[in-house]
Every structure is written in C-alpha cells, then in structure tokens.
Amino acid sequence: MAGVLADPKLEIYNSSGTLVASNDNWLAANAATFTQAGAFALLAGSKDAAVIVTLPAGASYTVSVSGVDGATGEALVEIYDL
C-alpha cells in the first residue's frame, strides 16, 4: 500500500486537552491482549503505535495520530472495547 505512515505516534487527549495516553512503537508485551480483542497481529519490530488504556465512561476523548519527526502519510485507527 503506497503512502502509509511508516512510523506513527498515537496520542489520546481528554476533553480538557490533557494527554492521558500515548505510544510510539507498540509493546510486544501487549500482543496477547490485542489478539484477545480481535486486532490483527503486528510483526516483531513493527513501528505501529498501539495503546491499552482504561478511560472513565461518559467522557469525551480525542485520538491523534502523527508521524514521528514530522513524517506524513495515511494511517488507520482502530478502537476496541475490552
């Protein structure tokens, strides 16, 4: 696929604009949780960003994806309720 964001950074902000979670390069230790949620597998050494976070119900959040070092490209965001 052409134009894919090669090294994304994922950030989650609450309604006040405060950063509550972020990730740059997923953690292999979380692979079992991602599999359990039905997410597709990521390769070892992948630059994909993924985060597991517990958020209070009823609040609003913003997910931001950007390229590390100002890189640009297309990104896909998937959200799973665990």
Side-chain angles (χ1 to χ4, degrees):
M1 204 169 159
V4 174
L5 185 57
D7 190 2
K9 178 171 74 171
L10 179 67
E11 297 175 321
I12 301 171
Y13 295 89
N14 66 17
S15 59
S16 299
T18 302
L19 180 68
V20 295
S22 67
N23 181 264
D24 172 25
N25 304 334
W26 78 292
L27 302 173
N30 292 335
T33 302
F34 299 146
T35 299
Q36 185 178 26
F40 55 87
L42 297 173
L43 301 174
S46 170
K47 295 284 187 182
D48 287 290
V51 63
I52 298 171
V53 60
T54 301
L55 301 170
S60 297
Y61 297 91
T62 300
V63 176
S64 173
V65 178
S66 60
V68 172
D69 295 328
T72 61
E74 299 290 326
L76 170 69
V77 175
E78 294 186 16
I79 300 172
Y80 296 87
D81 184 9
L82 302 176

